[in-house]
């Protein structure tokens, strides 16, 4: 509280991955509530131009670019301002270490793990979009959250929905949690048609506008598999108490079923600004500035069981959770490489799950205990996944 104005002090914010889809939606809400927030740091991978635009508007203390190649251009563009420019993983960690009260973790992939853990170590509020942190290093990550007294708020729409209706005080009365899945753009496609899918088709999600990697994950349904692992760590639920149900309209964002037969759900338009605003305002509600949901215009909502045959990624993720140890780290890293190979036109859509499965079968399962162990397993899984021969290449 400011002693002179009597108004609350602005919340000090850091956005890791500010130039991405979740990052931009976060910036959008902040820009429309400028008096309530003070942005301390922004980070990006390569997109220095967008970082410059955001920095000129939000005047952070520091901006960090993961890829040092763009450092000079970024520095030159911000010359004459008070904004400090840093680069590389150390630069991202420096951004995460600044003294903000609230951090949006919206880097994509395991690349976000180190900087997000830096934020966790400060014991502040961490809004977590970067689900790969929990998939790759879930136990380690949740132990750090507990050890440092951080407040972890899920941004992923399903987990945010569950968070809103999950009675933490009566967890023993929760029968199961039910994650909804849109099913992605190929929900009704045959397996042979899915073999010819192009990257452009795979990133065109029917309901959500998202970054390329998560869009492909949604199309393979690996995204839902990753979300089972994410839910397991966030809510401490075993695999058998986490169900998946396909709901093509993406309006019911997830559900919690209690012993008495009650099922609580959170509904809303498919707009990430809603869960982001939930975490930005937390513990209070604030406007997300999104279009209201008109249920009468929708008329009806559909639900169906997922198809494990056309979407083998679901089985792979579930089995990695049950196997434990290094398996989730390997699954995540191999999937990141397989998605990159597909997006680069170097493998087919159906190769994604098979690259992940082969990588899992070729690596020993030595449970990682430290962050360095996780990074070593991650690097080895990337190496193996990158070398796996696929149909059309020379025989293995
Ligand atoms: P995106 O690709 O649009 O943006 C990713 C951000 O991370 C960008 O700012 C990019 O510059 C940065 N980045 C990429 N690679 C990096 C690296 N190696 N090092 C440092 N920074 C890097 O991704 P997105 O769709 O915004 O997703 C971000 C995270 O949020 C992902 O983990 C995703 O699964 C999760 N998520 C996204 C949505 C969504 O609607 N987009 C919904 C739920 C969860
Ligand atoms: Mg989700």
């Amino acid at each position: 509280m400011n002693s002179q104005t009597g108004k609350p002090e602005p919340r000090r914010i850091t956005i890791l991955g500010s130039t991405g889809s979740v990052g931009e939606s976060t910036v959008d809400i902040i820009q429309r509530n400028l008096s309530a927030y003070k942005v301390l740091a922004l980070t990006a991978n390569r997109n220095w131009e967008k970082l410059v635009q955001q920095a000129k508007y939000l005047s952070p203390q520091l901006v960090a670019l993961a890829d040092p190649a763009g450092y000079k251009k970024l520095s030159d563009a911000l010359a004459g301002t008070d904004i400090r420019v840093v680069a590389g993983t150390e630069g991202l960690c420096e951004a995460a270490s600044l003294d903000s009260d609230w951090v949006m973790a919206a880097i994509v992939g395991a690349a976000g793990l180190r900087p997000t853990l830096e934020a966790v170590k400060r014991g502040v509020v961490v809004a977590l979009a970067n689900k790969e942190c929990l998939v790759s290093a879930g136990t380690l990550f949740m132990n750090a959250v507990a050890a440092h007294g951080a407040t972890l708020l899920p941004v992923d729409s399903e987990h945010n929905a569950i968070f809103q209706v999950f009675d933490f005080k009566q967890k023993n009365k929760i029968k199961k949690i039910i994650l909804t899945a849109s099913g992605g753009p190929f929900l009704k496609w045959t397996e042979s048609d899915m073999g010819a899918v192009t990257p452009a088709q795979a990133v065109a999600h029917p309901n959500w506008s998202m970054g390329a990697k998560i869009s492909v994950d949604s199309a393979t349904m690996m995204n839902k598999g990753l979300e089972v692992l994410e839910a397991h760590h966030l809510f401490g639920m075993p695999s058998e108490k986490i169900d998946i149900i396909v709901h093509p309209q993406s309006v019911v964002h997830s559900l919690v079923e209690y012993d008495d037969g009650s099922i609580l759900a959170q509904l809303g338009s498919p707009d990430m600004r809603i869960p982001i605003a939930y975490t930005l305002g937390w513990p209070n509600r604030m406007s997300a500035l999104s279009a209201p949901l008109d249920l009468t215009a929708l008329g009806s909502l559909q639900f169906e069981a997922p198809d494990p045959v056309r979407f083998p990624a679901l089985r792979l993720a579930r089995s990695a959770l049950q196997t434990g140890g290094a398996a989730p780290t390997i699954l995540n890293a191999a999937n990141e490489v397989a998605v990159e190979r597909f997006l680069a036109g170097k493998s087919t859509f159906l190769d994604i799950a098979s690259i992940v499965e082969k990588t899992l079968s070729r690596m020993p399962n030595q449970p990682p205990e430290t962050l360095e162990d996780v990074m070593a397993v991650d690097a080895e899984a990337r190496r193996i996944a990158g070398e796996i021969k696929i149909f059309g290449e020379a025989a293995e």
Side-chain angles (χ1 to χ4, degrees):
M1 196 70 82
N2 184 304
S3 57
Q4 298 194 332
T5 62
K7 286 191 179 160
E9 294 287 356
R11 202 166 203 183
R12 292 168 306 161
I13 303 277
T14 293
I15 308 174
L16 304 173
S18 64
T19 56
S21 164
V22 170
E24 281 199 295
S25 294
T26 311
V27 167
D28 179 51
I29 301 174
I30 290 173
Q31 281 183 337
R32 302 189 211 190
N33 294 277
L34 274 181
S35 61
Y37 301 101
K38 168 77 193 107
V39 175
L40 299 199
L42 300 170
T43 83
N45 188 24
R46 296 203 182 91
N47 193 344
W48 63 270
E49 287 104 330
K50 199 180 279 179
L51 205 50
V52 168
Q53 265 175 21
Q54 293 179 336
K56 288 202 165 154
Y57 199 84
L58 296 169
S59 305
Q61 292 173 10
L62 181 130
V63 292
L65 203 59
D67 182 356
Y71 174 79
K72 185 163 178 347
K73 287 186 177 125
L74 180 60
S75 295
D76 288 350
L78 292 175
T81 69
D82 297 337
I83 304 168
R84 212 148 60 78
V85 180
V86 292
T89 306
E90 292 314 308
L92 296 181
C93 290
E94 198 178 339
S97 309
L98 281 193
D99 189 25
S100 57
D101 317 301
W102 187 98
V103 179
M104 167 56 79
I107 293 174
V108 59
L113 188 53
R114 269 183 205 280
T116 305
L117 275 171
E118 282 303 319
V120 165
K121 282 186 201 155
R122 291 193 296 107
V124 293
V125 179
V126 176
L128 186 74
N130 187 189
K131 67 189 85 183
E132 293 90 349
C133 288
L134 284 178
V135 176
S136 184
T139 306
L140 200 125
F141 193 92
M142 293 309 287
N143 286 346
V145 168
H148 298 281
T151 301
L152 194 60
L153 301 176
V155 173
D156 210 352
S157 58
E158 298 76 4
H159 307 73
N160 186 271
I162 292 168
F163 189 81
Q164 294 193 40
V165 292
F166 191 99
D167 189 343
F168 286 88
K169 294 200 193 81
Q170 298 192 70
K171 199 173 148 186
N172 60 340
K173 300 284 163 36
I174 293 175
K175 203 166 158 194
K176 60 184 176 190
I177 57 181
I178 305 161
L179 301 173
T180 51
S182 68
F186 312 128
L187 180 59
K188 300 290 178 198
W189 288 38
T190 62
E191 203 172 341
S192 73
D193 285 346
M194 279 158 80
V197 154
T198 65
Q201 287 172 314
V203 297
H205 195 278
N207 306 337
W208 300 93
S209 155
M210 310 183 285
K213 192 258 178 185
I214 183 176
S215 297
V216 176
D217 285 348
S218 297
T220 58
M221 290 194 77
M222 180 59 91
N223 183 48
K224 216 44 57 180
L226 302 179
E227 289 184 358
V228 169
L229 282 138
E230 182 184 13
H232 165 72
H233 290 292
L234 282 172
F235 303 108
M237 300 295 274
S239 176
E240 59 278 12
K241 289 191 172 190
I242 308 172
D243 275 5
I244 297 171
I245 185 170
V246 173
H247 164 48
Q249 292 97 347
S250 303
V251 160
V252 178
H253 294 305
S254 279
L255 313 92
V256 176
E257 181 173 341
Y258 288 85
D259 276 348
D260 64 2
S262 299
I263 300 179
L264 304 193
Q266 183 258 0
L267 282 72
S269 302
D271 181 342
M272 283 305 291
R273 286 176 304 178
I274 298 174
I276 293 169
Y278 179 89
T279 65
L280 253 181
W282 188 88
N284 302 313
R285 298 262 177 192
M286 65 179 282
S287 168
L289 309 153
S290 75
L293 174 65
D294 184 348
L295 285 172
T296 53
L298 266 172
S300 64
L301 299 175
Q302 273 97 39
F303 300 95
E304 61 186 88
D307 178 352
V309 178
R310 283 180 308 122
F311 298 100
L314 290 171
R315 168 179 53 81
L316 295 174
R318 188 74 84 169
S319 136
L321 171 55
Q322 279 150 357
T323 306
T329 314
I330 299 168
L331 173 97
N332 180 68
N335 181 57
E336 287 192 34
V337 171
V339 171
E340 275 166 26
R341 287 177 70 169
F342 167 68
L343 285 172
K346 294 186 177 144
S347 66
T348 70
F349 183 73
L350 297 178
D351 289 329
I352 297 174
S354 92
I355 290 173
V356 173
E357 184 155 30
K358 285 183 181 162
T359 309
L360 278 160
S361 72
R362 286 178 198 187
M363 279 188 67
N365 190 335
Q366 269 162 354
E369 278 166 24
T370 63
L371 182 58
E372 285 61 41
D373 294 346
V374 170
M375 299 316 283
V377 171
D378 176 280
E380 179 64 358
R382 281 171 201 269
R383 189 186 66 73
I384 292 177
E387 286 177 358
I388 284 173
K389 301 276 190 291
I390 44 175
F391 185 70
E393 290 184 344
E396 287 172 53

